[in-house]
Amino acid sequence: MTLTADQVLFEKAKRHIPGGVNSPVRAFVGVGGTPVFVSRAKGAYMYDTEGREYIDYVGSWGPMILGHAHPKVIDAVKLACDDGLSFGAPTPFETTMADLIADIMPHIELIRMVSSGTEATMSAIRLARGYTGRDKIVKFEGCYHGHSDSLLVKAGSGMLDIGEPTSKGVPADFAKHTITLPYNDTQALQSAFDKFGDEFACVILEPIAGNMNMVIPSQEFHNTLRELCTKHGAVLIFDEVMTGFRVGLKGASHHFGITPDLSTFGKIIGAGLPVGAFGGKREIMECIAPLGGVYQAGTLSGNPLAMRAGKAMFDELTRPDFYEQLTAKTAKLVNGLQKLADKHGIDFSSCYVGGMFGLFFSKELPKNFDDVAHADTKRFNQFFHAMLEQGVYLAPSAFEAAFMSIAHTDDDIERTLVCADKAFGELIG
Ligand SMILES: *Cc1c(COP(=O)(O)O)cnc(C)c1O
């Protein structure tokens, strides 16, 4: 049997890289088969090592909202390269970035740059604990906040039990400070606060979930959460690493009209370079070193390449109608897919906000992690591979959201729908 180019590359990669990948979802474990090895990308397209073109709806898991290799971003990075890659000293570009974000989101009074979303949420939680002097934190089932110890925790057997680690290597002693509640469940939230409210340092959530496929919680859930956090003095952290500048310029907090105490960012703000950030209320942020006693640092934080790439990208995002255009593209694709699934008599549901969307092989639109887990993943995997074969790159997991970029043309979307018509038609079982 002759191996494909990707199979050869995957075998080579496995010799010295665990599982052949540097982040697990890239290994195609959920959908089976061999990952596509990418050589380059431009606009809406990625190209494998043999030059095969894919219409890409992953966009590096969110950052590529302008499409790949946007000329203005690439030029900004090239210019930045000529000036040196890192200084370990302040640069004016960091101030520009902080000002830009604070202008777009006025509830961000102070903001600190880090190098990943994981660092942003980990630091925001330490800050909330330092600010409140409390240890317990609350998270929600199906929300992902990176891979720091306190956050790799799921619910224990009883709903309000202490948490259990979801990864080996996380001490039970850490997990016991994390309470995991069902997402989008106002009643469970109320009960947890009734019992422990005054012990909570913070509640962290994805305000629109994008790591259990995509789930949009109710306005009531958000209103209740904001009220309870205020009443009990718990810091409300919106993890907008995915949704920030993705569901709209002002993110999910604006979508729901909720002002969180702290917000975390990543993905889009680096335009594809490794960046994260956390920010919010001045009174809380002033607890961070060097102003306060909560320690947080980073050798490469505020890296000049990343800041200058981010600035070039924000120049595009803040153009009038950017998000209207992006949303129209997402709507055209998602509504088109829904119509095709209905035509083929397939149980299918879908949702979108701005440039982010969720596709489910289930009759009803999922409202929480349990619902997502009950959708037909076998069908999803068949659909994924049928699309991949035709040159459409969807997220290789039924538990991930998908992303539109401004570079996707009507023609790209129509081509995607033609492929989907065929893929839906071939679904068996
Ligand atoms: C991707 C993501 C993270 C983690 O960011 P990394 O840069 O991968 O560390 C955290 N929170 C959310 C909501 C994310 O989508």
Side-chain angles (χ1 to χ4, degrees):
M1 194 183 91
T2 52
L3 298 177
T4 65
D6 285 332
Q7 283 169 333
V8 171
L9 289 168
F10 198 33
E11 288 313 310
K12 272 191 190 165
K14 285 181 195 168
R15 279 169 49 210
H16 296 300
I17 302 174
V21 292
N22 283 308
S23 197
V25 72
R26 297 178 198 171
F28 275 34
V29 174
V31 290
T34 308
V36 176
F37 277 68
V38 179
S39 59
R40 64 189 186 88
K42 179 79 191 158
Y45 313 117
M46 286 203 306
Y47 298 89
D48 72 11
T49 55
E50 296 186 302
R52 193 159 179 243
E53 182 183 283
Y54 294 87
I55 304 177
D56 178 24
Y57 293 102
V58 179
S60 192
W61 301 99
M64 295 305 160
I65 192 166
L66 300 181
H68 292 279
H70 189 280
K72 296 216 171 121
V73 173
I74 299 300
D75 284 349
V77 173
K78 283 180 176 163
L79 276 175
C81 283
D82 289 341
D83 290 338
L85 300 183
S86 180
F87 317 118
T91 65
F93 311 114
E94 292 154 81
T95 308
T96 304
M97 188 62 133
D99 290 352
L100 260 170
I101 295 175
D103 278 350
I104 294 169
M105 298 178 174
H107 64 280
I108 307 293
E109 296 176 307
L110 291 175
I111 185 163
R112 163 97 14 120
M113 292 293 154
V114 294
S115 299
S116 70
T118 294
E119 260 187 275
T121 57
M122 180 185 77
S123 306
I125 281 169
R126 183 182 307 137
L127 173 57
R129 284 174 162 157
Y131 172 74
T132 56
R134 303 170 179 176
D135 288 337
K136 276 199 175 69
I137 65 169
V138 177
K139 67 183 280 290
F140 296 92
E141 208 177 358
C143 285
Y144 176 70
H145 307 290
H147 59 89
S148 68
D149 285 338
S150 296
L151 294 168
L152 289 181
V153 174
K154 64 175 177 185
S157 43
M159 187 150 73
L160 293 182
D161 258 0
I162 55 171
E164 289 172 14
T166 53
S167 165
K168 288 189 178 168
V170 174
D173 267 1
F174 287 11
K176 79 177 184 198
H177 297 300
T178 304
I179 287 174
T180 305
L181 299 176
Y183 192 65
N184 200 12
D185 183 335
T186 308
Q187 196 54 51
L189 196 60
Q190 189 74 55
S191 310
F193 267 90
D194 285 347
K195 196 162 173 193
F196 295 120
D198 296 337
E199 296 173 50
F200 292 156
C202 64
V203 176
I204 185 167
L205 82 163
E206 291 183 72
I208 292 174
N211 285 285
M212 48 171 142
N213 206 316
M214 178 171 170
V215 177
I216 308 171
S218 70
Q219 184 69 46
E220 185 208 3
F221 175 72
H222 269 296
N223 293 347
T224 307
L225 179 56
R226 178 64 277 183
E227 272 166 35
L228 288 169
C229 284
T230 304
K231 182 170 157 209
H232 292 272
V235 175
L236 177 57
I237 305 173
F238 269 21
D239 179 358
E240 297 226 45
V241 168
M242 185 181 286
T243 53
F245 317 101
R246 165 58 67 184
V247 298
L249 182 62
K250 298 179 182 200
S253 62
H254 183 256
H255 181 81
F256 288 105
I258 298 282
T259 306
D261 302 307
L262 293 177
S263 305
T264 56
F265 303 105
K267 300 199 165 101
I268 283 184
I269 64 171
L273 286 164
V275 186
F278 64 103
K281 266 195 184 148
R282 181 175 300 277
E283 181 191 331
I284 303 175
M285 288 299 290
E286 280 178 344
C287 296
I288 286 277
L291 294 178
V294 177
Y295 191 69
Q296 192 281 326
T299 302
L300 299 177
S301 292
N303 174 267
L305 261 62
M307 296 299 103
R308 291 168 76 170
K311 164 74 170 72
M313 184 206 47
F314 272 114
D315 288 346
E316 299 302 308
L317 299 187
T318 49
R319 282 181 193 283
D321 298 340
F322 179 92
Y323 286 92
E324 284 78 359
Q325 285 172 24
L326 183 68
T327 305
K329 290 172 193 287
T330 316
K332 182 178 165 85
L333 177 68
V334 173
N335 295 336
L337 288 170
Q338 184 67 56
K339 254 193 212 143
L340 288 170
D342 294 347
K343 182 186 90 177
H344 287 281
I346 290 162
D347 286 344
F348 186 83
S349 58
S350 51
C351 62
Y352 68 90
V353 183
M356 177 173 167
F357 58 99
L359 308 174
F360 305 90
F361 285 89
S362 68
K363 207 181 195 118
E364 305 281 340
L365 191 60
K367 292 191 175 68
N368 55 38
F369 182 73
D370 267 356
D371 290 352
V372 176
H374 281 103
D376 191 338
T377 44
K378 244 177 71 194
R379 279 201 152 174
F380 173 87
N381 293 351
Q382 279 178 30
F383 183 73
F384 167 83
H385 280 292
M387 294 297 275
L388 190 69
E389 202 140 286
Q390 298 177 84
V392 178
Y393 193 82
L394 298 170
S397 164
F399 293 91
E400 302 288 351
F403 304 99
M404 183 62 74
S405 89
I406 204 75
H408 287 78
T409 62
D410 276 358
D411 181 56
D412 294 328
I413 294 168
E414 275 151 28
R415 270 168 54 204
T416 305
L417 292 173
V418 170
C419 298
D421 196 10
K422 181 154 180 275
F424 282 131
E426 287 169 1
L427 286 181
I428 36 167

